[in-house]
Amino acid sequence: MRLFQIAEYMNWLKRSVILCVFFLSPIALSAAITLYNTGTKQNVSLNTQTVDGIEYVSFHSLNQVFKSIIKEDREENRVYFNILGEQIIFLINTSLYTYKQT
């Protein structure tokens, strides 16, 4: 496999994990989400919290698994979440977010 193909595959894999975590977590049927960590070859369980009937995973739980970076900017009402080379900017008290590759 050429180097370009490997890099392309890794980018696809990162995006897939991020999408699974953020978009499938609200429809989880149990009180925890289980992820398979390919680096350690172990299952990792993330606890969820239900608010108004929607299940959420805390940023700090994701930080323990993915070694992500979380930064809060209270002046701009934003939370910056850097995970696997990607950045997601959440606007506090809204359902809006911005996604970009870093």
Side-chain angles (χ1 to χ4, degrees), residues 8-22:
E8 188 176 281
Y9 174 74
M10 292 305 294
N11 285 334
W12 174 83
L13 184 62
K14 285 192 273 188
R15 278 196 227 69
S16 298
V17 169
I18 290 171
L19 289 174
C20 287
V21 169
F22 286 108

Side-chain angles (χ1 to χ4, degrees), residues 8-56:
E8 188 176 281
Y9 174 74
M10 292 305 294
N11 285 334
W12 174 83
L13 184 62
K14 285 192 273 188
R15 278 196 227 69
S16 298
V17 169
I18 290 171
L19 289 174
C20 287
V21 169
F22 286 108
F23 295 114
L24 294 180
S25 62
I27 59 172
L29 299 176
S30 63
I33 295 174
T34 303
L35 301 175
Y36 180 73
N37 186 336
T38 56
T40 62
K41 308 268 192 252
Q42 294 178 348
N43 287 329
V44 179
S45 181
L46 300 176
N47 291 329
T48 62
Q49 182 177 3
T50 303
V51 177
D52 293 331
I54 300 172
E55 289 189 86
Y56 294 92

Side-chain angles (χ1 to χ4, degrees), residues 22 56 59 70-81 87-99:
F22 286 108
Y56 294 92
F59 284 125
I70 304 163
K71 184 179 98 174
E72 182 179 3
D73 186 346
R74 291 185 185 218
E75 289 180 7
E76 294 187 17
N77 290 323
R78 295 176 184 218
V79 174
Y80 297 88
F81 185 58
Q87 182 180 62
I88 303 169
I89 303 169
F90 295 94
L91 300 177
I92 299 174
N93 297 324
T94 72
S95 60
L96 302 174
Y97 69 92
T98 302
Y99 168 81

